[in-house]
């Protein structure tokens, strides 16, 4: 199921890394994934029971296929 968060919340959510880039719902390969993906570093942050887990320790590493292209 795709991430369903309030659009106003999505406008203010940002990656917790020092980049502080905006997040987008899903991943580049799976737009329906329950993950918020950083538009800068590519880390994925899981959404559990409708709540984004914005902890770097819990982040999914960026997809290596995404880099370099």
């Amino acid at each position: 199921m795709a991430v369903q968060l309030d659009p106003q919340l999505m406008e203010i959510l940002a990656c917790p890394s020092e980049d502080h880039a905006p997040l987008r719902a899903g991943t580049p390969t799976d737009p329906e994934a329950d993950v918020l993906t950083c538009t800068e570093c590519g880390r994925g942050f899981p959404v559990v029971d409708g709540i984004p887990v914005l902890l770097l320790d819990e982040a999914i590493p960026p997809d290596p296929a995404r880099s370099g292209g």
Side-chain angles (χ1 to χ4, degrees):
M1 178 192 307
V3 174
Q4 304 259 336
L5 296 176
D6 185 300
Q8 289 180 327
L9 178 62
M10 286 299 296
E11 285 181 26
I12 61 172
L13 287 178
C15 180
S17 75
E18 55 193 48
D19 297 328
H20 303 298
L23 299 169
R24 69 167 177 266
T27 68
T29 57
D30 185 4
E32 297 294 313
D34 285 337
V35 173
L36 296 177
T37 302
C38 177
T39 57
E40 184 67 31
C41 69
R43 287 183 184 97
F45 298 92
V47 177
V48 180
D49 295 328
I51 301 170
V53 180
L54 299 178
L55 300 171
L56 290 173
D57 290 345
E58 300 289 325
I60 301 162
D63 182 359
R66 186 172 176 255
S67 63

